[in-house]
Amino acid sequence: QLQLVESGGGVVQPGGSLRLSCAASGATLDSYDIGWFRQAPGKEREGVSFIRSRGGSTKYVDSVKGRFTISRDNAKNTAHLQMNSLKPEDTAVYYCAVAHIYSNQGIFDSRLYASWGLGTQVTVSS
């Protein structure tokens, strides 16, 4: 059974950077589409970034475009989210998840993702 573990979170000042990792075990990631989501206190979980299993096309929510970069390393069974120019509003628990997404409309629909990690906390504060 596929298990996901996120790491790389922490406390960073505004303008700083973090690189999150998502390590998979129990199955290979190469056939899955991968999404990064986040949930801030009192807010709903939102999709942040997405990468296709085939071709590696990517998608970002508008609020992180130009600052975050998603990538995957199928050989190492991992995915990453490079986060630059962090803002206080980026503070949240970040989750990676996998799915087979057949329609672009479902890319950030968390209900379509079957496997999730437990999350890693990102806090942006001065």
Side-chain angles (χ1 to χ4, degrees):
Q1 184 176 355
L2 178 66
Q3 291 186 322
L4 303 172
V5 178
E6 302 92 339
S7 62
V11 179
V12 63
Q13 291 186 341
S17 298
L18 286 173
R19 186 177 187 238
L20 304 185
S21 296
C22 174
S25 62
T28 57
L29 279 179
D30 56 359
S31 66
Y32 289 96
D33 301 317
I34 301 170
W36 282 96
F37 292 78
R38 65 186 180 186
Q39 187 166 19
K43 294 188 177 181
E44 292 187 354
R45 188 171 297 187
E46 68 165 343
V48 174
S49 185
F50 171 88
I51 186 167
R52 283 276 181 204
S53 60
R54 306 285 187 229
S57 62
T58 59
K59 180 86 172 174
Y60 300 91
V61 69
D62 286 346
S63 60
V64 308
K65 282 181 181 177
R67 301 189 297 121
F68 289 13
T69 303
I70 190 172
S71 62
R72 62 191 300 157
D73 186 341
N74 289 337
K76 295 184 178 180
N77 224 24
T78 59
H80 301 281
L81 185 67
Q82 177 66 44
M83 306 187 297
N84 299 327
S85 302
L86 283 162
K87 304 175 180 180
E89 51 263 43
D90 295 318
T91 295
V93 178
Y94 283 71
Y95 302 88
C96 65
V98 299
H100 298 290
I101 303 297
Y102 299 103
S103 167
N104 285 343
Q105 292 182 333
I107 283 175
F108 290 141
D109 185 347
S110 62
R111 297 169 298 176
L112 300 180
Y113 288 77
S115 296
W116 293 78
L118 295 179
T120 185
Q121 176 70 47
V122 171
T123 301
V124 185
S125 174
S126 55

